Amino acid sequence: MTDTTSNQMWGGRFAAGPDAIMEAINASISFDKRLAAQDIAGSRAHAAMLAATGILSDSDAEAIREGLLTVLSEIEAGDFTFSTALEDIHMNVEARLKEVIGTPAGRLHTGRSRNDQVATDFRLWVRDQLDAVDQALVALMRALLAQAEAGADWVMPGFTHLQTAQPVTWGHHMMAYVEMFGRDLSRVRDARARMNECPLGAAALAGTSFPIDREMTARDLGFDRPCANSLDAVSDRDFALEFLGVASICAMHLSRFAEELVIWSSAQFRFVALSDRFSTGSSIMPQKKNPDAAELIRAKVGRIFGANVALMMVMKGLPLAYSKDMQEDKEQVFDAADNLMLALAAMEGMVRDMQAERANLEAAAASGFSTATDLADWLVRVAGMPFREAHHVTGALVAKAEAKGCDLPDLSLEEMQAVHGEITASVYDVLGVHNSVASRMSYGGTAPEQVRAQVARWKERLG
Ligand code: ARG
């Protein structure tokens, strides 16, 4: 006789139920309940296939499919009591199905295992997330495009080593992020295409002796095809790792932009004003407006990349096929997905609301000898000097301006000629920051015309 405290799903060979600690370490229901909708979709497709192949009667399959909808609506309404004793979402759903429809519920698990079931559920969940990230990235890119279009010809300092380097345009800087998020978007789409194969029907690890139709379940669930190897199907978590890899790189991009917003919104820079909606105040310093959203976005990459490393470490060294270690995949992915979505939405909101301080950007662009390269280029072009010599002459002029405490265009022609006799008044044409950016017409350069072309290309690509 079976002990009533042992598990009703697999308790046949057990005389006693688990220790409380065993139950605590073993159960995943506290987090995998997030897979409920995917689990029920997978089971409904499986039941339909079992009927179509004659493995189940139509009436049993219909009862199962209807009953599963009842269970889903209970879960969605919050009327479902999840049980830790039933370990995970798969057994919670099946146990409730049995209460709702009786005996036919016991036939659902024919020709499958929890191993292919969880692999299928999780793929469906990650696929939905990739689609959500796809949409959020497009929304963020549209917000950046709007900023770039408005400020295609606003000049600002471009930096290397966070030292003023050459003037660039605001639009150009915004479009640099559009390129980064555009690559993230293409990584999302690549990952989705690669992961869109269905593990269902791989059963525990070896396939099944029932005449199942894996093409049918794959198609029903929106997969391109069934996974080709049953061992691989139940043990692969590449799709989750790829999601975390894509998420990590995207979070890193968000973090770099967030850092720039923190710097730019400081009183020392005043390049942007962040909206009140995306800032906070200080409880003690009344003058303060803090860029907390940007700081938190900057931080999110820590936990997202942490999740990537954690799952990689869980998976390394696991023998084929399924091992319970793999139950540790879900919390990492859930946490990374939630935080990435939050960071993307917050960044989109901040970018939509933020105000570039055009006059401050321009004033900063003109300071710090930012057109020194233009002066050197002028010496090459007009005076026919080798670039190395032009670099040297320009350096001497910068030193002179620095000693005088002024900028390059503030040096008189006589002062310039004292450094090099061939300099003429036309040099002043290239020393202005607007001239400087307008001259950077090489493909992908910072000239407003090039920026507008970049904006037009991306608008067309995003549709
Ligand atoms: N909760 C399990 C997981 O997330 C489901 C698969 C359990 N399979 C098994 N053979 N115990 O991995």
Side-chain angles (χ1 to χ4, degrees):
M1 207 180 74
T2 310
D3 186 312
T4 47
T5 58
S6 74
N7 191 291
Q8 58 173 292
M9 297 293 163
W10 42 253
R13 77 183 291 279
F14 284 72
D19 187 274
I21 297 294
M22 178 58 201
E23 190 170 294
I25 193 172
N26 199 35
S28 53
I29 189 62
S30 64
F31 50 88
D32 70 13
K33 60 183 169 203
R34 284 186 75 167
L35 299 176
Q38 289 77 10
D39 192 68
I40 286 170
S43 289
R44 294 188 80 238
H46 185 65
M49 181 278 291
L50 290 176
T53 50
I55 300 167
L56 277 199
S57 70
D58 286 345
S59 59
D60 279 351
E62 211 29 58
I64 289 169
R65 283 169 53 79
E66 281 301 308
L68 285 167
L69 286 183
T70 306
V71 177
L72 180 62
S73 57
E74 288 173 0
I75 293 173
E76 282 173 352
D79 291 342
F80 192 97
T81 314
F82 292 102
S83 148
T84 310
L86 289 169
E87 271 187 55
D88 57 24
I89 185 64
H90 324 295
M91 298 208 287
N92 269 269
V93 168
E94 197 182 317
R96 178 67 189 136
L97 182 67
K98 177 125 192 275
E99 288 170 6
V100 175
I101 67 166
T103 326
R107 300 189 193 280
L108 169 62
H109 213 52
T110 312
R112 77 169 186 189
S113 145
R114 274 190 295 157
N115 296 349
D116 58 338
Q117 197 179 349
V118 73
T120 305
D121 295 1
F122 200 29
R123 278 200 197 220
L124 288 171
W125 196 91
V126 170
R127 194 178 70 186
D128 285 349
Q129 277 307 302
L130 286 168
D131 291 343
V133 171
D134 187 313
Q135 280 186 21
L137 276 168
V138 170
L140 172 57
M141 289 167 76
R142 286 193 201 288
L144 287 162
L145 283 168
Q147 285 283 352
E149 204 164 23
D153 57 358
W154 302 351
V155 288
M156 66 180 284
F159 300 93
T160 58
H161 315 267
L162 199 56
Q163 307 286 324
T164 301
Q166 294 173 1
V168 295
T169 48
W170 170 257
H172 198 52
H173 204 118
M174 294 299 109
M175 291 310 291
Y177 283 103
V178 169
E179 290 293 329
M180 289 177 246
F181 294 124
R183 286 193 297 278
D184 291 334
L185 186 63
S186 101
R187 270 184 282 273
V188 164
R189 291 176 182 178
D190 286 351
R192 190 194 198 282
R194 200 164 14 258
M195 64 95 71
N196 204 28
E197 296 184 341
C198 186
L200 196 58
L205 74 165
T208 173
S209 56
F210 290 100
I212 59 170
D213 182 350
R214 293 194 58 209
E215 296 283 347
M216 181 180 168
T217 38
R219 203 178 328 113
D220 253 32
L221 294 168
F223 289 107
D224 295 329
R225 63 193 82 83
C227 300
N229 180 299
S230 62
L231 287 169
D232 177 50
V234 294
S235 50
D236 164 40
R237 292 295 181 273
D238 299 9
F239 66 90
L241 285 166
E242 225 179 314
F243 173 79
L244 293 173
V246 168
S248 296
I249 296 175
C250 180
M252 174 275 291
H253 286 149
L254 286 166
S255 179
R256 295 184 71 174
F257 191 25
E259 165 69 355
E260 297 207 306
L261 294 179
V262 170
I263 295 174
W264 290 352
S265 61
S266 69
Q268 288 70 23
F269 271 73
R270 291 188 299 118
F271 282 8
V272 292
L274 299 176
S275 74
D276 290 354
R277 301 193 324 140
F278 286 95
S279 309
T280 58
S282 158
S283 55
I284 180 167
M285 296 164 283
Q287 84 283 11
K288 291 201 74 179
K289 192 166 149 185
N290 294 326
D292 292 39
E295 294 170 84
L296 288 163
I297 293 170
R298 185 173 61 186
K300 291 296 185 196
V301 65
R303 64 202 289 169
I304 294 173
F305 189 62
N308 192 0
V309 174
L311 184 55
M312 194 69 103
M313 291 304 103
V314 167
M315 295 306 295
K316 77 174 272 296
L318 286 187
L320 302 189
Y322 178 85
S323 298
K324 195 66 172 254
D325 310 51
M326 288 157 70
Q327 179 166 285
E328 294 279 311
D329 55 2
K330 286 171 259 323
E331 285 164 291
Q332 301 297 342
V333 172
F334 291 158
D335 185 74
D338 291 345
N339 282 284
L340 181 65
M341 287 302 291
L342 193 55
L344 283 166
M347 187 57 97
E348 189 212 330
M350 266 197 305
V351 172
R352 285 207 183 283
D353 281 13
M354 78 185 176
Q355 199 70 50
E357 303 281 17
R358 190 177 175 181
N360 298 341
L361 289 170
E362 185 157 342
S367 72
F369 313 110
S370 67
T371 53
T373 313
D374 298 274
L375 175 50
D377 288 349
W378 184 90
L379 291 168
V380 170
R381 234 181 7 255
V382 181
M385 240 178 239
F387 184 78
R388 286 289 162 225
E389 189 188 340
H391 186 285
H392 194 80
V393 169
T394 306
L397 287 163
V398 166
K400 190 164 203 162
E402 197 164 37
K404 238 189 111 184
C406 69
D407 265 319
L408 283 173
D410 304 323
L411 291 175
S412 69
L413 187 58
E414 293 72 44
E415 286 169 318
M416 294 215 196
Q417 285 171 339
V419 174
H420 202 282
E422 280 177 70
I423 299 177
T424 63
S426 78
V427 74
Y428 290 100
D429 292 347
V430 301
L431 291 182
V433 286
H434 286 280
N435 296 330
S436 168
V437 295
S439 72
R440 299 275 190 284
M441 271 296 287
S442 52
Y443 178 84
T446 199
E449 209 176 301
Q450 285 296 328
V451 173
R452 290 192 184 100
Q454 291 180 49
V455 171
R457 276 199 301 275
W458 271 109
K459 276 188 160 172
E460 196 175 315
R461 276 170 76 173
L462 293 181

